[in-house]
């Protein structure tokens, strides 16, 4: 039996808002696989090149730090931060400078943590 990573599901209050944020940030289209059900939204698809992100409506807002997060590689850390903020996300205030690059801890519109990463040894992100 083969095991394959097919995606990540994120609990949230507003699946449509978060799917729009992540689709725009990642340049991956929102899927129609949930048939317009407002309790679910997906970026990408099972047949796509990248694992999909699915957003599931839950009644309670996020509380506390999550134990898993996404890393999003960008060409320029400042431009990436600006794009996240224009889309409704925000900078957490934590920046980490390493020999291999820069990491900014960011928050999506509902406060889910993720990292923007700029590697110094790459001319362009992998796609």
């Amino acid at each position: 039996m083969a095991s394959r990573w097919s995606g990540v599901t994120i609990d949230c209050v507003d699946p449509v808002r978060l799917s729009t944020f992540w689709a725009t940030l990642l340049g991956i289209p929102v899927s129609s696989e949930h048939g317009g059900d407002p309790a679910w939204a997906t970026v990408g698809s099972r047949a796509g090149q990248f694992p999909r992100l699915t957003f599931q409506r839950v009644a309670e807002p996020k509380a506390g730090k999550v134990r898993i997060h996404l890393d999003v590689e960008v060409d320029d850390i400042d431009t990436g931060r600006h794009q996240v903020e224009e889309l409704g996300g925000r900078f957490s205030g934590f920046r980490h400078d390493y020999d291999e690059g820069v990491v900014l801890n960011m928050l999506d519109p509902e406060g889910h943590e993720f990292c923007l990463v700029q590697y110094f040894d790459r001319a362009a992100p992998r796609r």
Side-chain angles (χ1 to χ4, degrees), residues 54-74:
T54 299
F55 302 90
Q56 172 183 340
R57 178 175 288 152
V58 296
E60 66 280 352
K62 180 191 161 300
K65 185 173 180 350
V66 296
R67 303 288 299 228
I68 188 170
H69 68 266
L70 302 177
D71 288 345
V72 177
E73 185 177 344
V74 295

Side-chain angles (χ1 to χ4, degrees), residues 22-126:
W22 284 101
T24 304
L25 182 64
L26 298 174
I28 301 172
V30 173
S31 168
S32 60
E33 71 182 46
H34 296 293
D37 182 346
W40 294 88
T42 296
V43 173
S45 72
R46 287 190 301 259
Q49 180 181 0
F50 304 103
R52 66 188 176 156
L53 290 176
T54 299
F55 302 90
Q56 172 183 340
R57 178 175 288 152
V58 296
E60 66 280 352
K62 180 191 161 300
K65 185 173 180 350
V66 296
R67 303 288 299 228
I68 188 170
H69 68 266
L70 302 177
D71 288 345
V72 177
E73 185 177 344
V74 295
D75 292 331
D76 179 79
I77 202 74
D78 295 323
T79 302
R81 175 182 170 179
H82 182 73
Q83 181 185 22
V84 167
E85 291 170 340
E86 281 186 337
L87 294 171
R90 65 187 192 279
F91 177 50
S92 71
F94 293 101
R95 176 186 171 116
H96 307 279
D97 292 279
Y98 301 104
D99 290 341
E100 65 271 12
V102 178
V103 177
L104 295 182
N105 295 101
M106 304 298 291
L107 303 166
D108 75 9
E110 288 195 13
H112 297 104
E113 298 89 0
F114 68 98
C115 290
L116 284 184
V117 182
Q118 177 186 352
Y119 295 107
F120 297 141
D121 61 352
R122 293 197 191 173
R126 290 176 289 170

Side-chain angles (χ1 to χ4, degrees), residues 9-25:
T9 300
I10 299 171
D11 291 347
C12 63
V13 174
D14 188 344
V16 172
R17 180 179 184 206
L18 283 193
S19 66
T20 300
F21 172 87
W22 284 101
T24 304
L25 182 64

